[in-house]
């Protein structure tokens, strides 16, 4: 199955150098507690229901062939287990309370979309960033390779935003076409990584070492999340890992946690931050982590993307 795309964001300035078009792939094996794109996690299409926009008009009740909607005492009841995300109801909802996350595109269509802004890439040193979800863990990597190859052939810079959680062969086949991997490091301790991110980080750290040895362009991106990794000892472990393994990072980006995506969870009938443990780091705290990296010999350290 070809990958699904859940968003194409134009004029992005936080996903790598210059002005970029960011293509978001749907599907991810990780479960970061702070994920601000919960619609990116499932590999399937999903209905997103914005209940605050619903006027209980009943149009979706009448049109759904799978009887996934009902009006009870003037209130819309949606049974997600019956919904096959066919999208029929979306066209009938006058208030745009309904949306399907996930759409098929061909490689040709994505390249065509990207080329519309090629002039801006050239002026700004930008290009295309593939993000997710986890691009490197798509079931159809032929699609991803073909997309990268065609963008590269068009002279468009290709960045890939990745958690690193994928077989190294997937990275190896893209190396000729990818200018920079925006490579996330979240925790160094294996047990903590399992707890907060949902997967073992052995493969992530091994892949980073291999990519560095292969001469890949690398920007290391560290989401800084209060209550999860915003601690000097966590930062120190990352610094030690990068130094000990001679990781050739062109840039370090410290990305302060934000909770902008939390309202998306309700649209998917999910709950955000059940433990209430995640905190937004203060500016001076971010500055102190930046200073730590600089004191240990990293010169291109930025707060933000
Ligand atoms: S997407 Fe299709 S199956 Fe799901 S509620 Fe709408 S019409 Fe019913
Ligand atoms: S069609 Fe839209 S506004 Fe009407 S009941 Fe369904 S979700 Fe609510």
């Amino acid at each position: 199955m070809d990958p699904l795309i859940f968003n194409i964001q134009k004029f992005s300035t936080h996903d790598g150098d210059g002005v970029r078009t960011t293509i978001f792939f749907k599907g991810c094996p990780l479960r970061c507690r702070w994920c601000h794109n919960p619609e990116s996690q499932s590999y399937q299409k999903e209905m997103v229901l914005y209940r605050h926009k619903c006027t209980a008009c009943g149009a979706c009740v009448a049109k759904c062939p799978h009887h996934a909607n009902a009006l009870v005492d003037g209130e819309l009841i949606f049974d997600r287990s019956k919904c096959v995300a066919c999208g029929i109801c979306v066209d009938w909802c006058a208030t745009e309370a309904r949306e399907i996350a996930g759409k098929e595109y061909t490689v040709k269509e994505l390249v065509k979309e990207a080329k519309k802004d090629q002039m801006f890439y050239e002026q700004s040193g930008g290009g295309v960033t593939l993000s997710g979800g986890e691009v490197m863990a798509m079931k159809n990597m032929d699609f991803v390779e073909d997309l990268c190859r065609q963008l590269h052939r068009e002279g468009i810079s290709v960045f890939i935003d990745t958690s690193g959680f994928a077989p190294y062969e997937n990275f190896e086949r893209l190396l000729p076409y990818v200018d920079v991997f925006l490579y996330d490091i979240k925790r160094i301790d294996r047990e903590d990584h399992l707890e907060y991110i949902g997967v073992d980080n052995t493969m992530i750290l091994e892949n980073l070492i291999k990519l560095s040895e292969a001469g890949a362009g690398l920007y290391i991106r560290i989401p800084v999340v209060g209550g999860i990794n915003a601690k000097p000892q966590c930062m120190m472990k990352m610094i030690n890992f990068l130094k000990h393994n001679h990781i050739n990072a062109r840039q370090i980006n410290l990305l302060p946690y934000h909770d902008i995506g939390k309202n998306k969870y309700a649209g998917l009938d999910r709950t955000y931050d059940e433990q209430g443990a995640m905190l937004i780091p203060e500016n001076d705290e971010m500055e102190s982590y930046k200073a730590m990296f600089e004191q240990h010999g990293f010169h291109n350290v930025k707060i933000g993307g």
Side-chain angles (χ1 to χ4, degrees), residues 42-252:
S42 165
Y43 286 87
Q44 311 297 326
K45 290 185 185 181
E46 289 171 286
M47 163 63 63
V48 186
L49 180 56
Y50 303 104
R51 290 175 199 277
H52 63 284
K53 291 187 182 177
C54 173
T55 55
C57 72
C60 57
V61 179
K63 297 295 175 185
C64 176
H66 297 275
H67 310 291
N69 306 292
L71 281 181
V72 178
D73 296 333
E75 191 189 337
L76 177 69
I77 306 294
F78 171 54
D79 184 346
R80 188 170 289 279
S81 68
K82 291 182 181 170
C83 175
V84 297
C86 66
I88 292 173
C89 60
V90 174
D91 294 334
W92 291 90
C93 179
T95 62
E96 299 183 344
R98 297 179 160 255
E99 187 178 86
I100 297 293
K103 188 178 171 194
E104 294 93 352
Y105 284 85
T106 63
V107 167
K108 197 173 166 189
E109 285 168 337
L110 290 175
V111 173
K112 190 175 171 194
E113 198 59 40
K115 281 183 70 177
K116 287 179 187 169
D117 294 324
Q118 196 158 6
M119 186 178 73
F120 300 105
Y121 311 149
E122 285 163 9
Q123 284 170 357
S124 67
V128 168
T129 298
L130 308 186
S131 186
E134 179 47 69
V135 184
M136 300 307 301
M138 286 295 128
K139 292 181 175 70
N140 184 354
M141 285 304 293
D142 290 345
F143 182 101
V144 179
E145 183 179 350
D146 195 20
L147 176 60
C148 292
R149 187 192 301 114
Q150 291 202 35
L151 289 168
H152 182 73
R153 194 182 292 152
E154 294 290 343
I156 296 173
S157 144
V158 180
F159 283 21
I160 290 189
D161 185 9
T162 179
S163 69
F165 191 77
Y168 186 68
E169 301 77 61
N170 292 2
F171 288 92
E172 217 168 14
R173 62 193 288 188
L174 301 190
L175 278 175
Y177 317 115
V178 174
D179 297 277
V180 170
F181 289 96
L182 306 172
Y183 204 101
D184 282 9
I185 298 288
K186 291 152 182 149
R187 290 281 307 219
I188 296 295
D189 293 319
R190 190 168 160 267
E191 293 304 318
D192 292 331
H193 201 278
L194 256 174
E195 182 180 348
Y196 297 122
I197 289 102
V199 297
D200 187 303
N201 63 355
T202 308
M203 181 164 63
I204 294 171
L205 299 178
E206 285 177 1
N207 283 346
L208 179 56
I209 295 169
K210 287 179 192 166
L211 281 171
S212 180
E213 287 172 354
L218 289 167
Y219 291 3
I220 303 297
R221 287 162 70 99
I222 302 172
V224 181
V225 188
I228 304 283
N229 67 354
K231 300 169 194 162
Q233 60 269 40
C234 286
M235 295 297 146
M236 202 59 232
K237 284 184 183 177
M238 295 189 206
I239 289 168
N240 286 338
F241 174 84
L242 295 173
K243 286 184 77 171
H244 177 75
N245 292 291
H246 308 287
I247 301 299
N248 191 11
R250 289 189 207 162
Q251 192 167 302
I252 307 280

